[in-house]
Amino acid sequence: MTSDNYKLLIPKIDKDKMPNHIAIIMDGNGRWAKKQGMKRVNGHKAGVRVVREIVETAREINLKYLTVYAFSTENWGRSRMEVNYLLKLILDSLIGEIDDLVQNGVNIRFIGTEQHLPPGYDVKVEENCRRSWHNNDLYLNVAMNYGGRRELIEAVQVISTKVKDGYLKPEDITEQVISDHLYTAGMPDPDLVIRTSGEIRLSNYLIWQSTYSEFWFTETLWPDFSRAEFIQSILDYQERKRRFGKREK
Ligand code: IPE
Ligand code: IPE
Ligand code: MG
């Protein structure tokens, strides 16, 4: 498909069945770079361009929530050089894109833990993101230093403190209470989770929130992921029958 063909796919989307929230595991940057005879970090750099395209497309189709996995709590296990490159690339990309995001109605936030981040990192992220918080067309979450288990640990810590201090009774802890203490508090669960690069696993992504998500996998490496493929994932999603444990009508 040429880069503009996705426009032909957009009218095929059933507006009444739009997913509210799409979450993406952007995987395969390293393998993409290797295939081109380049260093892994060049793959990450190429991947940023694709994030931009997918955010633009999400605006075009009026998607409400988009969450992208940028760096996991397990990614600290990579070489120091790659980790440092990613930390800088992610912050620099935010700083470089924030004006456009603000102008285009995007409300952006980073979700993840502060653990192990360099001093001041979170402050710089928040200073930039804050400028977009009056927007409400597209809510864009960047899962940065994110781990689903870490997210649950932090929720349990806050909830148990509330119990200890008498603000909450153990029997009052419901699914809603737990959801309200996650980084995604107040947001709908993802309807569709996309993963590129042929890996068929969750890698600690949105483990609580994706309980009833539909999954869509592609062999395409993230830097080659196209707007057309993004739209195709939505068209495929719209063919699925979601039962949520009930019997089919
Ligand atoms: C995804 O690409 C980006 C991050 C995890 C930060 P990878 O870097 O995992 O690329 P592969 O999977 O090694 O090809
Ligand atoms: C998941 O990809 C994390 C991100 C895309 C940021 P990984 O490449 O880290 O996942 P594994 O190690 O293959 O499961
Ligand atoms: Mg990977």
Side-chain angles (χ1 to χ4, degrees), residues 3-237:
S3 59
D4 253 8
N5 272 358
Y6 80 98
K7 292 220 188 264
L8 300 173
L9 292 176
I10 290 182
K12 297 187 178 174
I13 295 176
D14 179 347
K15 289 199 180 66
D16 296 329
K17 284 194 191 166
M18 256 307 274
N20 223 345
H21 184 175
I22 299 180
I24 308 182
I25 303 173
M26 313 185 289
D27 198 12
N29 295 348
R31 278 164 283 169
W32 181 89
K34 198 174 170 198
K35 262 175 62 186
Q36 327 276 318
M38 295 191 291
K39 294 203 167 68
R40 293 181 59 82
V41 293
N42 293 96
H44 298 315
K45 203 168 164 196
V48 173
R49 281 198 293 277
V50 179
V51 180
R52 193 195 158 99
E53 286 180 15
I54 296 306
V55 172
E56 279 171 13
T57 311
R59 283 292 295 116
E60 265 183 87
I61 60 173
N62 288 316
L63 181 70
K64 210 66 204 171
Y65 293 89
L66 178 66
T67 302
V68 294
Y69 209 177
F71 188 91
S72 78
T73 47
E74 287 70 38
N75 288 148
W76 294 102
R78 298 188 179 195
S79 74
R80 203 192 181 104
M81 187 265 174
E82 184 173 350
V83 167
N84 287 342
Y85 184 90
L86 281 166
L87 293 179
K88 184 166 160 35
L89 178 70
I90 293 165
L91 184 57
D92 288 351
S93 303
L94 169 68
I95 294 169
E97 297 289 337
I98 191 69
D99 285 344
D100 276 4
L101 292 167
V102 171
Q103 273 186 15
N104 288 304
V106 179
N107 182 319
I108 182 171
R109 69 189 60 240
F110 277 35
I111 59 168
T113 176
E114 291 176 19
Q115 231 184 13
H116 310 305
L117 283 176
Y121 195 92
D122 263 23
V123 177
K124 284 197 201 105
V125 165
E126 190 173 324
E127 267 170 18
N128 283 278
C129 287
R130 182 185 291 282
R131 296 184 41 213
S132 75
W133 288 349
H134 59 282
N135 282 335
N136 54 16
D137 291 328
L138 169 66
Y139 291 88
L140 172 64
N141 299 315
V142 178
M144 168 63 195
N145 198 16
Y146 176 88
R149 289 188 171 182
R150 181 70 215 168
E151 181 179 35
L152 281 169
I153 289 171
E154 293 183 6
V156 170
Q157 285 171 338
V158 174
I159 292 170
S160 57
T161 305
K162 288 182 181 172
V163 170
K164 182 173 72 116
D165 295 344
Y167 294 110
L168 195 63
K169 294 207 271 307
E171 58 270 30
D172 290 339
I173 300 172
T174 58
E175 287 192 11
Q176 190 61 47
V177 168
I178 292 178
S179 293
D180 290 345
H181 287 82
L182 301 178
Y183 308 137
T184 50
M187 299 179 199
D189 287 340
D191 300 292
L192 173 62
V193 177
I194 297 170
R195 184 169 189 151
T196 59
S197 89
E199 309 299 349
I200 304 188
R201 55 174 170 262
L202 219 38
S203 302
N204 206 5
Y205 196 39
L206 302 173
I207 53 175
W208 172 275
Q209 298 90 333
S210 64
T211 304
Y212 263 103
S213 303
E214 296 294 326
F215 290 87
W216 194 88
F217 299 99
T218 173
E219 293 287 327
T220 306
L221 303 173
W222 178 253
D224 287 332
F225 189 68
S226 64
R227 298 172 193 252
E229 235 184 328
F230 181 54
I231 305 291
Q232 191 57 52
S233 73
I234 297 170
L235 296 176
D236 290 350
Y237 162 85

